Amino acid sequence: MSTLSTNLEPVLKPKKKKEFTYFTLLLFIVLGFGLQIIAGIGVAIYDEVTGSNMTGILLEGPYALLVDAAFFLGVSVLYRPVRRFLKPMWNFSVLKERKTYVYIVVGFLIVAAVQYLMLSFLNVESADQQQKDLNQGSFNQTLLSSWIFFISVAVITPIKEELLYRGVLCGFLTKRHHVLVGIFVSALVFGLLHIGFPITATVMGLVFAIIYYRTKSIFPSMILHMLWNGLVSITVFF
């Protein structure tokens, strides 16, 4: 009797965690861009009704960067599969290690050398297109506009891009395929989306991805990205 009752007991299997798939990745990207498009249509309708120019303001340089980052960061927090996937990458402990700062300094020197080589020595690339995209020249040189420009370029954009390219894309491809696939594909995508200096940006993507892989944390590459973008934004002003 005991044997029969034992055989009739349901077999409880542990639930498997949902895997981060290509569909999850695609949905994350679609949500990030799709919600921006929907919001843009809403703002355009508002402009049409009220006669204002909110669309022109939000699509102007740093404001466009802030809007783009806000939607992707919002989706990263609210979309549970992405939030869970990124959670292990928020590793503060690496900031206590000396080698982390060695990586950051060496990475900064490599990026600086490559940019000088490509933009100044060989003249095969140009940062003019980036400055046009940022549209910084259209701003009045006020203290407020300068801070908005600096924060959007040197702080918010690096956070968003490191989460998107290193955290999500590189992290996913590394786990799904191989670390080299994650590093090179994420760096190539990062480079191609930086119009005007794709070679320099690809090398930057490689440096950021390698630091991210070596430290197993998103913070070191984020810090390096902030330092570099901060330097670039200051040179734009002066």
Side-chain angles (χ1 to χ4, degrees):
M1 184 67 178
S2 59
T3 305
L4 179 61
S5 61
T6 303
N7 292 335
L8 292 176
E9 290 179 357
V11 179
L12 298 178
K13 295 182 179 180
K15 293 183 178 179
K16 292 183 178 179
K17 292 183 178 180
K18 291 184 178 180
E19 187 182 3
F20 194 99
T21 64
Y22 273 105
F23 176 77
T24 310
L25 177 64
L26 180 61
L27 184 57
F28 168 66
I29 296 172
V30 169
L31 285 172
F33 286 114
L35 291 175
Q36 290 185 60
I37 294 172
I38 294 172
I41 294 173
V43 174
I45 294 173
Y46 173 81
D47 285 348
E48 188 68 26
V49 173
T50 62
S52 60
N53 187 35
M54 286 295 295
T55 304
I57 295 174
L58 294 177
L59 293 179
E60 187 178 81
Y63 292 112
L65 295 178
L66 291 175
V67 170
D68 178 62
F71 276 97
F72 270 104
L73 291 176
V75 174
S76 299
V77 172
L78 298 176
Y79 187 30
R80 184 179 296 180
V82 174
R83 185 174 72 246
R84 287 179 174 177
F85 185 76
L86 290 173
K87 187 176 180 180
M89 303 169 193
W90 297 100
N91 179 12
F92 284 97
S93 63
V94 299
L95 299 180
K96 300 177 182 179
E97 300 177 12
R98 183 178 300 178
K99 66 178 182 180
T100 297
Y101 299 96
V102 174
Y103 291 146
I104 292 173
V105 171
V106 172
F108 188 93
L109 293 175
I110 292 173
V111 171
V114 172
Q115 175 144 323
Y116 173 77
L117 182 65
M118 292 292 126
L119 274 65
S120 301
F121 187 74
L122 297 177
N123 293 316
V124 296
E125 293 184 331
S126 172
D128 291 343
Q129 182 62 45
Q130 184 188 44
Q131 294 185 14
K132 290 180 181 178
D133 292 342
L134 294 176
N135 203 15
Q136 190 273 334
S138 67
F139 282 84
N140 296 321
Q141 292 298 323
T142 64
L143 182 61
L144 178 60
S145 65
S146 299
W147 273 110
I148 292 174
F149 178 82
F150 182 82
I151 291 172
S152 63
V153 174
V155 181
I156 304 300
T157 295
I159 293 175
K160 171 246 177 176
E161 290 189 340
E162 288 311 302
L163 288 176
L164 178 59
Y165 295 107
R166 257 60 68 182
V168 175
L169 185 58
C170 181
F172 168 71
L173 293 175
T174 296
K175 289 187 176 182
R176 185 83 176 190
H177 301 286
H178 190 272
V179 61
L180 293 180
V181 176
I183 290 175
F184 282 101
V185 172
S186 63
L188 184 61
V189 173
F190 182 76
L192 292 177
L193 292 178
H194 283 73
I195 301 173
F197 52 108
I199 299 175
T200 302
T202 299
V203 174
M204 291 173 63
L206 287 171
V207 171
F208 296 154
I210 291 171
I211 291 176
Y212 161 69
Y213 172 72
R214 293 290 298 177
T215 60
K216 301 297 186 293
S217 171
I218 201 71
F219 289 114
S221 62
M222 197 177 285
I223 291 171
L224 174 55
H225 202 156
M226 288 180 178
L227 290 173
W228 184 257
N229 278 24
L231 176 62
V232 171
S233 62
I234 291 173
T235 58
V236 167
F237 283 114
F238 300 104

